[in-house]
Amino acid sequence: ETLPKDTRPEILSIFLETQHSCEVNVVTPIEEMSKILNSRRDLLKEMHDHQAAELERLTELMEEFKQKHESNVKRVKELEANATKLAERSSAVLTASRSLHPHITDAEAAYFKDLQR
């Protein structure tokens, strides 16, 4: 340890040169890196916040889509059930109308036509 009274000009010169070298080669680059890292951290925080908001929006859209899909599947089942009922009714009506319509062969129809003349 050098006491101030024992300081010589060459020691003071070495100290000042070492201090200047540390400021230029160590402290200044660390301060610049700190500024860069702080701006990068701010950018990453902004990106994280934006992506979190987007994720929330997409999650809500997905839930809405699932609800609509479930509703559509239910509606399709109802429509298919109604279509089956309508097909059964149509078949019953067709069967009933055939039983009400007299069955006449072409020859009988020609004979009745001749009679009407």
Side-chain angles (χ1 to χ4, degrees), residues 70-80 82:
E70 289 171 4
S71 174
N72 286 340
V73 167
K74 183 180 176 184
R75 182 80 172 128
V76 164
K77 287 180 181 178
E78 290 172 358
L79 290 173
E80 286 175 346
N82 286 343

Side-chain angles (χ1 to χ4, degrees), residues 84-100:
T84 302
K85 288 178 186 176
L86 287 175
E88 290 171 358
R89 287 181 186 168
S90 296
S91 176
V93 168
L94 182 61
T95 302
S97 68
R98 283 185 181 164
S99 67
L100 295 177

Side-chain angles (χ1 to χ4, degrees), residues 5-115:
K5 67 178 181 173
D6 296 331
T7 303
R8 295 182 308 230
E10 53 279 347
I11 293 176
L12 182 61
S13 173
I14 291 172
F15 171 77
L16 291 174
E17 185 178 325
T18 304
Q19 180 186 13
H20 177 72
S21 175
C22 284
E23 286 177 0
V24 169
N25 296 323
V26 176
V27 174
T28 302
I30 288 176
E31 288 174 346
E32 289 175 7
M33 283 191 300
S34 177
K35 288 177 187 175
I36 291 169
L37 290 174
N38 285 336
S39 66
R40 179 72 176 166
R41 182 176 40 238
D42 293 342
L43 175 65
L44 290 174
K45 170 120 177 63
E46 182 181 330
M47 287 174 56
H48 176 270
D49 293 344
H50 175 73
Q51 288 177 350
E54 189 68 12
L55 178 62
E56 185 176 332
R57 184 184 73 82
L58 290 173
T59 301
E60 290 173 2
L61 282 174
M62 182 66 106
E63 287 301 319
E64 186 178 318
F65 174 77
K66 284 180 183 177
Q67 290 174 353
K68 286 182 180 179
H69 182 297
E70 289 171 4
S71 174
N72 286 340
V73 167
K74 183 180 176 184
R75 182 80 172 128
V76 164
K77 287 180 181 178
E78 290 172 358
L79 290 173
E80 286 175 346
N82 286 343
T84 302
K85 288 178 186 176
L86 287 175
E88 290 171 358
R89 287 181 186 168
S90 296
S91 176
V93 168
L94 182 61
T95 302
S97 68
R98 283 185 181 164
S99 67
L100 295 177
H101 186 309
H103 293 286
I104 301 175
T105 63
D106 291 338
E108 291 172 328
Y111 174 74
F112 289 129
K113 198 175 198 182
D114 286 339
L115 286 179

